[in-house]
Amino acid sequence: MSILEPLTNAGCIVLASSVEPAALPNKTIVVLGIARGGTSLAAGALHHLGVPMGIGAKAPVFEDTNLAALYENPGGIQYSKLRSFIAEYDQQYGVWGFKRPSILKHLPELHQIFTNPRYVVMFKDFASVVNRRIVSGLADKPLENLRDAWHQYGLIMNFLERHRPEALLASTDKAIRYKDSFLQDLVR
């Protein structure tokens, strides 16, 4: 082992809660982040570790659009259907995951509905995210997209500060570079 190895920044920070994980038979692992910010990387890792990511959630994005439709509805969040859907997943899977960047707009409400939510929060540098959006044909105004990325990360930070949930904060770039370390932190 190199003398500098203990100083390696693998890019993950664990925010712990006061609840013992063993005391939670059911839980939802919610992947947070901004679009093009690494959420598919985390959701794919969870999927390959055996965590169900929802009906129809498949590579490369691993998004459960059926569940998302219940809160993305133009008429507002369909609370009773959403609670039923989540209860069904809890019954069927016990531990399951969900990923959809649009969740940020509804995070405080959904935090109250998910069963024992635990969060994996992916962070990626703004310039990289905006460039990815431009390359994908989803954006053509870099400064407006930088501002949007800043705002979305602000929503995440406000949520984390207000609710203090158990969460793994991870650098997308470091997760790619230090895969084993990221996976070890993910399964804790």
Side-chain angles (χ1 to χ4, degrees), residues 79-140:
Y79 287 102
S80 63
K81 288 182 180 179
L82 189 57
R83 284 186 179 93
S84 295
F85 209 96
I86 289 169
E88 192 175 305
Y89 274 13
D90 289 344
Q91 177 74 26
Q92 186 173 357
Y93 304 118
V95 176
W96 56 280
F98 180 73
K99 172 253 178 186
R100 182 99 164 158
S102 68
I103 195 174
L104 299 180
K105 298 172 190 164
H106 307 287
L107 195 50
E109 298 93 343
L110 295 175
H111 176 70
Q112 302 302 318
I113 298 172
F114 285 128
T115 305
N116 302 315
R118 301 297 182 259
Y119 296 89
V120 177
V121 187
M122 301 304 292
F123 290 92
K124 190 170 185 180
D125 77 78
F126 295 152
S128 179
V129 169
V130 170
N131 192 47
R132 181 71 179 104
R133 290 177 181 179
I134 291 169
V135 169
S136 299
L138 301 173
D140 62 355

Side-chain angles (χ1 to χ4, degrees), residues 107-182:
L107 195 50
E109 298 93 343
L110 295 175
H111 176 70
Q112 302 302 318
I113 298 172
F114 285 128
T115 305
N116 302 315
R118 301 297 182 259
Y119 296 89
V120 177
V121 187
M122 301 304 292
F123 290 92
K124 190 170 185 180
D125 77 78
F126 295 152
S128 179
V129 169
V130 170
N131 192 47
R132 181 71 179 104
R133 290 177 181 179
I134 291 169
V135 169
S136 299
L138 301 173
D140 62 355
K141 298 178 180 172
L143 293 179
E144 287 179 20
N145 276 270
L146 280 169
R147 174 72 60 201
D148 181 58
W150 182 274
H151 172 72
Q152 289 180 27
Y153 277 130
L155 293 174
I156 293 170
M157 292 305 303
N158 289 340
F159 171 77
L160 293 173
E161 288 174 335
R162 172 175 269 167
H163 295 278
R164 303 284 182 191
E166 183 174 313
L168 173 66
L169 311 182
S171 160
T172 299
D173 296 324
K174 297 284 187 168
I176 292 167
R177 183 169 181 190
Y178 301 105
K179 294 174 187 73
D180 291 341
S181 180
F182 174 65

Side-chain angles (χ1 to χ4, degrees), residues 2 10 20 32 37 39 51-52 58 62-63 72 77 89 97-98 113 125 139 150 161 173 180 182:
S2 161
E20 289 295 320
L32 299 178
T39 56
V51 176
K58 54 188 166 208
F62 300 98
E63 291 183 359
E72 291 176 340
I77 297 174
Y89 274 13
F98 180 73
I113 298 172
D125 77 78
W150 182 274
E161 288 174 335
D173 296 324
D180 291 341
F182 174 65

Side-chain angles (χ1 to χ4, degrees), residues 57-73:
K58 54 188 166 208
V61 295
F62 300 98
E63 291 183 359
D64 185 341
T65 55
N66 294 320
L67 179 59
L70 298 175
Y71 71 80
E72 291 176 340
N73 187 314

